[in-house]
């Protein structure tokens, strides 16, 4: 049984990873971390040096968790939603964990396209975690 996490080194992505580790521990499941890449689209949340530091911290958290995990990179020309959905279809996936961030009142009318696709097309339950969530 697998838990798939859609991960970016942003506050929301890091919260999703923490929640994914907690769920994998709780369910004695393996973790599949679909790792996005730094783009200008989310670059406003973190700089390249912060991104590298966050990724190193998160990799250490994965190693320390004792959970068996696999990192699946998203190619720069690939649609992250496609890669995440393929990961959920590949094996027995019990849960998909993704991060969300706060939106302005106008932004609440429009959901991010990747998030929307994952919620609508995933063949397993989806857990959306808000930025700042800290699994205990």
């Amino acid at each position: 049984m697998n838990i798939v996490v859609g991960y970016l080194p942003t506050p929301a992505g890091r919260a999703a990873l923490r929640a994914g580790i907690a769920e994998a521990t709780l369910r004695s499941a393996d973790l599949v971390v679909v790792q996005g890449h730094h783009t200008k689209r989310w670059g406003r949340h973190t700089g390249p040096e912060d991104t590298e530091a966050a990724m190193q911290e998160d990799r250490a958290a994965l190693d320390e968790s004792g959970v068996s995990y696999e990192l699946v990179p998203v190619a720069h020309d690939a649609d992250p939603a496609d890669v995440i959905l393929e990961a959920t279809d590949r094996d027995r996936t019990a849960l998909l964990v993704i991060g969300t961030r706060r939106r302005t009142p106008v932004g609440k009318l429009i959901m991010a396209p990747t998030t929307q696709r994952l919620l609508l097309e995933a063949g397993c339950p989806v857990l959306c975690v808000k930025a700042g969530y800290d699994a205990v």
Side-chain angles (χ1 to χ4, degrees), residues 16-91:
L17 182 63
R18 289 190 299 271
I21 291 170
E23 287 292 329
T25 301
L26 180 69
R27 299 170 188 236
S28 298
D30 294 335
L31 201 59
V32 177
V33 181
V34 179
Q35 192 172 9
H37 47 81
H38 186 11
T39 64
K40 288 181 182 177
R41 181 172 165 196
W42 57 268
R44 67 178 179 265
H45 300 291
T46 182
E49 59 285 341
D50 295 331
T51 297
E52 188 58 38
M55 290 174 77
Q56 288 177 2
E57 284 177 23
D58 293 339
R59 185 74 175 269
L62 280 166
D63 291 337
E64 291 171 10
S65 73
V67 171
S68 174
Y69 69 91
E70 172 190 2
L71 296 177
V72 178
V74 176
H76 287 279
D77 61 344
D79 181 349
D82 287 338
V83 179
I84 293 168
L85 290 169
E86 286 171 14
T88 63
D89 290 341
R90 186 177 61 186
D91 292 311

Side-chain angles (χ1 to χ4, degrees), residues 79-128:
D79 181 349
D82 287 338
V83 179
I84 293 168
L85 290 169
E86 286 171 14
T88 63
D89 290 341
R90 186 177 61 186
D91 292 311
R92 298 178 322 149
T93 299
L95 183 68
L96 169 60
V97 184
I98 58 175
T100 60
R101 61 184 176 90
R102 292 188 184 271
R103 302 225 177 253
T104 64
V106 172
K108 289 178 183 174
L109 295 173
I110 305 168
M111 188 178 300
T114 299
T115 301
Q116 184 175 14
R117 275 197 62 205
L118 294 174
L119 288 171
L120 295 175
E121 296 179 26
C124 62
V126 180
L127 173 61
C128 292

